[in-house]
Amino acid sequence: MTATTAGHDAVHDGHDHGHEHAPPRGLWRWLSTTNHKDIGTMYLVLSLTMFFIGGAMALVIRAELFRPGLQLVEPMFFNQMTTMHALVMIFGAVMPAFVGLANWLIPMMVGAPDMALPRMNNWSFWIMPFAFALLLSTLFMDGGGPAGGWTLYPPLSLQTGAAFPFVILSIHMMGVSSVMGAINIIATILNLRAPGMTLMRMPLFVWTWLITAYLLIAVMPVLAGAVTMLLTDKYFGTSFFNAAGGGDPVMFQHIFWFFGHPEVYIMILPAFGIVSQIIPTFARKPLFGYASMVYATASIAFLSFIVWGHHMFTVGMPLAGELFFMYATMLIAVPTGVKVFNWISTMWRGSMTFETPMLFAIAFVVLFTIGGFSGLMLAIAPADFQYQDTYFVVAHFHYVLVPGAVFSIMAAAYYWLPKWTGHMYDEKLGRLHFWCSAIGVNILFFPQHFLGLAGMPRRIPDYALQFAEFNMISSIGAFIFGFSQLIFLWVVIKCVRGGEPAPAKPWEGAHGLEWTVPSPAPHHTFQTPPQITEAEAHS
Amino acid sequence: MSTTTHDAPSAGSYYVPHSSPWPIIGSVGLFVTMMGGANLLNGHAPTLLYCGLAVLIVMMIGWFNNVIRESQAGLYSPQMDRSFRWGMSWFIFSEVMFFAAFFGALFYARDYALPWLDGTSASKPMTHELLWPTFEERWPTNGPGRVGGTFEVMGPWGLPALNTLILLSSGATVTWAHWGLLKGNRRQLCLGLAATVGLGFLFVALQAVEYSHAYQHMNLTLGSGIYGSTFFMLTGFHGAHVTIGAIMLTVMLLRSLAGHFTPEHHFAFEAAAWYWHFVDVVWLGLFVFVYWF
C-alpha cells in the first residue's frame, strides 16, 4: 500500500498548500468541503433530522392506532404516513447514519489521510438533501404522497398521482448517492490502508462496511431498474408488470426483493461492525473469533442474494421455490448465530463496565436476537402463510431495525462523540436516554407480535375491537420511545457545545488508530501513514 | 498532525483536493433535472429539465477539466491511480447490475410469466384457465391482450448483425489504439481512437435507423407488450451507454491530439476503453437474447 512516485515534489506542493489554509468559513465550507470528517458530520446531521421527521410520521401512525376507529387522520393520509415513514427511515435515517460513520471512521481506522475520492464524497452527500426535498415535497402535492407502501408494488403504486415521478426520481437520486458512496468506501479500504494494516488486521467496522459497500453496488442499480420499469409502465406504455401485455406484476416483487433483501443487510452489517468494536472495549478483552466474524459477515452477504423469495411466499410460487427460499433463509441463522456467540464469548469473564455505548451494544445483542428469532419463524414457509402482512412482520422487522440498527447507531454516537467533539457527553443523561429507549421500544414493539399472531393486518388505520388493548400499549410505548430521543438530541447538542475535555483515548479498553489522534480529531489526520505492527493489531 | 513528513514512504503523496464547487453544482443540477423530468411527466413544459441538464453539462465539463489539469500537473501518484481504477471497475460493475435487472425481466417474462399465462407450465394452470384460456404464447409476443396491436419482429440478421460487426470491430480498434499508446506511437493512438469513435457513432446512427423503421413500418413500439418493452428498454439503455462511451472516447481522442497521455500514465484512456468493452459485451448479450433467440 505504499507508493513512492515520480512527481512526488509536485504532489507535496499541492498537498502542503492545502494545509496553509484553514477550511473556508461559513456555509461555503460545508457546500464545497472534501474533508471526510466534515462530510461525515453532514451525513450524521442529515440522518438525525430524517430520524425525527420519520419518527414524527410514526407517531402519527401510532396516534391513529391508539384506539380503534378513525379519529385523527384520513385513511389515505395514514397510508402516506406508513409509506413515507419507511422510505425516510430506511434511505434517510439508517443508511446515511452508517455512511456518516463510515466517512468519519474508516479513514482514521485504516490510517488514511481522507477518503479515496474526496470530491465525489461531497457529491454523494449533497445529492441526499435534494433527494429528500423531492421526496418530502410530494406530501404537499395534489393527491398527496405515495401511499402504496415503500415497496411500491404495482399495480397499486401505479395509481399514485402527480407524486409518482417525484418519488421514483428521488429514489434514483438516493441510488446514485449510495453507489458513489459505496465505491468511495471500497476504494478507500482497498487502496488507502496504512502500511501493515493487512485485511485481516482491519477493525471489524471496516470489514463490515467493505462487504456492505459491495452489497450496495450490487443491488442499488437493480432497484433503479425496477423503479424505472414502474415509471415506463405508467408513462411510456410498457408492459413489464401488465399481464395483458405478457408481463407480470409479481415480476416486480422478484426484482424489488432481489434488491430488498440485501438492502436489509446493508442496514445491519455495519451495525454488527459497530457492536464488534464496542463490546471488546467495555469487556476489556479482544474480540472473540475475529476471523469467524469476518467469514460470517461474508456468508451473510452471500446468502442475502438467494433468499429474496421469502418476502413473497404467498404470491403463488412453485413449491420448489418455496422450499429453496425457506431453507436458504434458515441457513442465515448459522453465521448470525456465530456472531451472537462471539459477542457473548467476548463478554464472558471480561471486566465489564456499563457506559452508555456498552448499554446500547448489549441491548442490541439481546433485542436484535429476538428480531432474528421472529425472522426464523417467518422463514418457515407454511407458517408464513399465517404471518404474512400481519403485525407480526411489523414487529419482526422493527426489532431488527430499531433496537437493532438504530441502537447500534446510538451506541456508535456515544462511543465516538468524544472523538468527534473533544468533549465527554453527559453520562447520566446518556443512561437516562438508554433506559427510556430500551423500555419504550419493547413496550412499542413487543405487543405487536401478539397483535400479528392474533391476525391484525399491517397498514390499516382502523382495526377490530379485540386488538384495542395491545394497540394502546404499543402506542404508549411509541410515545415514550419517540420523546426519549429528544434526550439524545439534547445530549448531542450539549456535547458539541462543551463538557469535560476528552482525552485522545477516553475508553480505557479501546483499541484502534482512531484513539491515537487527539480529541477532537484534527481536521486532517494520518497524512503520514502510521505503521501497524502485528502486536498492535492483535492487542 | 498538520505537518507532513516528507521522507516517509507514502507520506502525503496521496492528493486530497481542496474544497471544490463542482459537486454542489452537480447536486443542484441533478435536483433541477429530476424536478424538471417529473414536471414533464406530469404534463408541464420541459424548461426546468433543460435548465437542469445544462447545469449538469457545465458541471461535467468543469469537473473533468479540473481533474485533467490536476493530472497534467502531476498531482496523481500511482496510489491515486489505483483509487481511480477501483472506482471505475466498481462503477462498471454497478452498470452490469443495472442491465441485469432488465435482462432478468426478459428471462422472467419468457421463462415464467408467459408459460403461466398460456398454460404450458404445470405449476400454475389456473392463471391460464381463469385469465385468458385461449392464449397461446409464441415468443415474441405482446401478450394475451395483444397490447399495441400486431407488430413485426426485429430479426437478428441484417442491421443488427452489421451493428454487431461494427461494435466488435470498434473493440479491436480501441485495443489497437492502446497498443499504439503503450509503444508511444501517437499516430496509431489517434487513428485507432478516431476509428473507434467513428464506428461508435455509426452504431448509434444505425440503431436510430432501426428504431425509426420499427416505429414507422413494423408497428413495433415501446408499447408492443412485453416484447416491445424489453426490446426498446434494453437496446435503448444500451444505445445511451454507447453514446456516453463514444463521448468519453471523443474526449480521449482530443486529449491524445493534445499530447496528454504517456505510455506510463494514461488511466483516463483505459477507463474509457474498459467502459467501451463493457458496452460491447452487453451488446453481445442483447444480440443473442433480444434479437436472435
Side-chain angles (χ1 to χ4, degrees):
Chain A
M1 287 303 126
T2 59
T4 355
T5 73
H8 213 135
D9 291 339
V11 169
H12 279 139
D13 284 344
H15 207 82
D16 289 346
H17 188 61
H19 297 237
E20 287 155 17
H21 299 285
R25 293 186 177 280
L27 183 62
W28 187 242
R29 166 188 174 175
W30 300 101
L31 292 177
S32 68
T33 183
T34 53
N35 181 283
H36 72 102
K37 300 185 183 81
D38 285 353
I39 295 170
T41 303
M42 291 194 293
Y43 265 113
L44 291 170
V45 170
L46 173 79
S47 162
L48 191 58
T49 311
M50 288 298 151
F51 182 59
F52 280 106
I53 293 176
M57 292 170 177
L59 291 186
V60 172
I61 295 168
R62 281 321 315 175
E64 174 60 49
L65 295 174
F66 187 74
R67 281 193 306 180
L70 293 176
Q71 36 245 324
L72 291 173
V73 293
E74 294 290 315
M76 184 66 177
F77 185 73
F78 182 90
N79 290 342
Q80 291 173 34
M81 286 293 105
T82 57
T83 305
M84 287 293 241
H85 163 72
L87 289 170
V88 167
M89 286 303 202
I90 292 167
F91 293 105
V94 174
M95 289 170 70
F98 285 136
V99 182
L101 291 168
N103 258 292
W104 250 105
L105 297 169
I106 288 174
M108 289 205 292
M109 285 178 161
V110 301
D114 204 295
M115 296 292 280
L117 304 159
R119 272 181 294 235
M120 196 173 83
N121 198 18
N122 174 306
W123 203 24
S124 306
F125 170 74
W126 273 110
I127 287 175
M128 292 297 281
F130 289 106
F132 279 94
L134 218 52
L135 180 67
L136 292 173
S137 72
T138 61
L139 285 173
F140 306 99
M141 288 176 186
D142 283 347
W150 81 280
T151 53
L152 299 169
Y153 283 3
L156 182 62
S157 69
L158 297 178
Q159 295 172 20
T160 309
F164 192 68
F166 289 91
V167 175
I168 300 298
L169 295 178
S170 74
I171 289 173
H172 275 308
M173 287 174 77
M174 295 165 202
V176 169
S177 161
S178 290
V179 169
M180 288 198 298
I183 288 174
N184 219 335
I185 286 167
I186 293 192
T188 307
I189 297 173
L190 293 182
N191 193 29
L192 262 63
R193 276 171 292 132
M197 178 61 79
T198 58
L199 285 175
M200 289 309 274
R201 287 180 188 170
M202 294 195 308
L204 224 84
F205 180 69
V206 181
W207 253 117
T208 52
W209 242 117
L210 178 66
I211 292 166
T212 303
Y214 164 72
L215 291 181
L216 275 168
I217 300 175
V219 301
M220 291 308 286
V222 175
L223 173 67
V227 298
T228 302
M229 291 179 215
L230 283 180
L231 200 68
T232 58
D233 266 17
K234 186 164 166 73
Y235 293 102
F236 298 98
T238 57
S239 301
F240 288 107
F241 310 128
N242 173 11
D248 186 349
V250 173
M251 180 165 85
F252 176 84
Q253 301 184 24
H254 282 286
I255 304 174
F256 179 86
W257 286 112
F258 183 84
F259 145 79
H261 201 79
E263 168 68 19
V264 172
Y265 295 142
I266 287 164
M267 292 190 285
I268 204 66
L269 294 184
F272 290 167
I274 291 164
V275 170
S276 304
Q277 301 291 131
I278 292 175
I279 288 181
T281 296
F282 296 97
R284 291 164 181 79
K285 273 177 65 193
L287 183 68
F288 183 90
Y290 172 92
S292 67
M293 283 298 215
V294 172
Y295 297 127
T297 310
S299 312
I300 293 172
F302 167 74
L303 289 171
S304 75
F305 285 105
I306 54 167
V307 297
W308 78 86
H310 69 220
H311 294 271
M312 35 197 299
F313 278 142
T314 59
V315 298
M317 256 189 296
L319 182 65
E322 305 264 337
L323 290 172
F324 173 80
F325 287 122
M326 175 168 90
Y327 289 125
T329 304
M330 290 177 166
L331 265 185
I332 296 175
V334 177
T336 313
V338 167
K339 283 180 168 297
V340 174
F341 178 84
N342 285 349
W343 291 321
I344 293 170
S345 303
T346 306
M347 289 188 273
W348 177 252
R349 309 188 73 172
S351 316
M352 294 214 284
T353 50
F354 300 94
E355 286 85 347
T356 314
M358 184 62 161
L359 291 174
F360 273 104
I362 294 174
F364 171 94
V365 175
V366 175
L367 299 176
F368 172 81
T369 303
I370 292 178
F373 280 138
S374 59
L376 215 45
M377 293 170 71
L378 287 160
I380 303 165
D384 180 77
F385 277 58
Q386 281 298 311
Y387 307 148
Q388 167 78 22
D389 261 342
T390 68
Y391 256 84
F392 191 77
V393 179
V394 176
H396 157 70
F397 68 72
H398 279 99
Y399 257 89
V400 291
L401 282 174
V402 185
V406 172
F407 269 29
S408 82
I409 294 164
M410 297 293 179
Y414 283 109
Y415 188 56
W416 282 292
L417 259 176
K419 181 55 61 191
W420 300 334
T421 64
H423 306 127
M424 297 306 290
Y425 62 86
D426 186 326
E427 184 65 44
K428 257 193 196 138
L429 281 178
R431 288 181 197 205
L432 178 71
H433 171 225
F434 168 76
W435 285 110
C436 292
S437 298
I439 293 166
V441 87
N442 282 295
I443 300 174
L444 162 56
F445 294 120
F446 211 83
Q448 295 183 1
H449 291 112
F450 306 130
L451 285 170
L453 292 178
M456 177 168 159
R458 60 190 288 209
R459 291 171 172 160
I460 50 158
D462 187 9
Y463 48 82
L465 290 177
Q466 70 266 31
F467 303 131
E469 283 88 351
F470 279 134
N471 267 299
M472 189 176 282
I473 295 169
S474 178
S475 290
I476 292 169
F479 280 85
I480 296 174
F481 180 76
F483 283 93
S484 307
Q485 304 320 306
L486 295 174
I487 308 173
F488 178 65
L489 183 65
W490 173 235
V491 173
V492 172
I493 292 172
K494 214 176 142 193
C495 185
V496 170
R497 292 169 64 107
E500 186 196 330
K505 197 176 91 168
W507 312 117
E508 179 197 14
H511 288 287
L513 289 174
E514 78 268 34
W515 307 113
T516 63
V517 302
S519 300
H523 203 56
H524 296 283
T525 40
F526 296 124
Q527 284 164 316
T528 308
Q531 181 79 38
I532 288 82
T533 61
E534 178 79 26
E536 280 165 348
H538 294 288
S539 57
Chain B
M1 293 310 290
S2 62
T3 50
T4 315
T5 327
H6 285 233
D7 52 0
S10 66
S13 64
Y14 199 84
Y15 175 67
V16 178
H18 313 147
S19 61
S20 167
W22 300 115
I24 186 70
I25 294 174
S27 301
V28 173
L30 194 62
F31 177 60
V32 176
T33 305
M34 293 301 183
M35 204 157 54
N39 275 333
L40 182 66
L41 291 174
N42 281 333
H44 300 290
T47 328
L48 211 51
L49 176 65
Y50 295 148
C51 292
L53 287 173
V55 176
L56 279 179
I57 289 169
V58 169
M59 178 276 287
M60 280 199 264
I61 293 172
W63 193 333
F64 280 117
N65 228 325
N66 199 341
V67 171
I68 290 168
R69 258 186 277 130
E70 286 170 0
S71 170
Q72 291 306 107
L75 293 176
Y76 294 164
S77 64
Q79 192 184 13
M80 188 81 199
D81 204 63
R82 279 198 298 277
S83 287
F84 288 143
R85 279 164 201 277
W86 280 123
M88 192 68 195
S89 320
W90 287 101
F91 169 64
I92 290 175
F93 175 61
S94 78
E95 293 271 47
V96 169
M97 294 308 293
F98 181 75
F99 277 98
F102 288 90
F103 274 108
L106 174 67
F107 298 147
Y108 183 91
R110 290 187 62 173
D111 290 339
Y112 295 102
L114 288 164
W116 288 332
L117 283 170
D118 90 336
T120 49
S121 161
S123 68
K124 283 192 181 180
M126 293 317 281
T127 306
H128 176 68
E129 288 302 320
L130 296 174
L131 288 175
W132 287 279
T134 59
F135 174 60
E136 282 180 45
E137 185 234 341
R138 217 182 50 217
W139 185 261
T141 178
N142 53 356
R146 304 178 67 74
V147 172
T150 314
F151 63 92
E152 283 178 61
V153 177
M154 190 65 74
W157 312 113
L159 212 53
L162 180 63
N163 257 345
T164 307
L165 196 65
I166 289 171
L167 216 50
L168 289 180
S169 312
S170 76
T173 53
V174 80
T175 303
W176 187 66
H178 194 192
W179 289 347
L181 177 50
L182 291 174
K183 283 184 300 194
N185 181 344
R186 179 133 62 104
R187 213 180 102 82
Q188 186 179 333
L189 167 64
C190 295
L191 278 177
L193 267 178
T196 313
V197 169
L199 289 167
F201 283 115
L202 180 62
F203 174 92
V204 176
L206 290 177
Q207 281 295 87
V209 171
E210 183 186 276
Y211 275 22
S212 94
H213 185 71
Y215 265 77
Q216 282 166 8
H217 304 291
M218 299 165 75
N219 192 33
L220 173 60
T221 69
L222 201 51
S224 298
I226 190 66
Y227 176 65
S229 307
T230 50
F231 176 84
F232 282 104
M233 291 298 278
L234 274 163
T235 57
F237 273 120
H238 176 260
H241 282 77
V242 173
T243 311
I244 294 165
I247 293 170
M248 283 160 69
L249 287 168
T250 308
V251 175
M252 294 311 135
L253 176 59
L254 296 175
R255 290 189 64 189
S256 305
L257 290 169
H260 277 188
F261 300 124
T262 66
E264 298 79 32
H265 189 77
H266 55 260
F267 176 65
F269 172 89
E270 283 183 68
W274 290 354
Y275 195 79
W276 196 249
H277 290 307
F278 152 70
V279 295
D280 217 352
V281 171
V282 173
W283 174 260
L284 288 180
L286 287 179
F287 184 71
V288 173
F289 295 111
V290 175
Y291 289 94
W292 196 352
F293 290 109

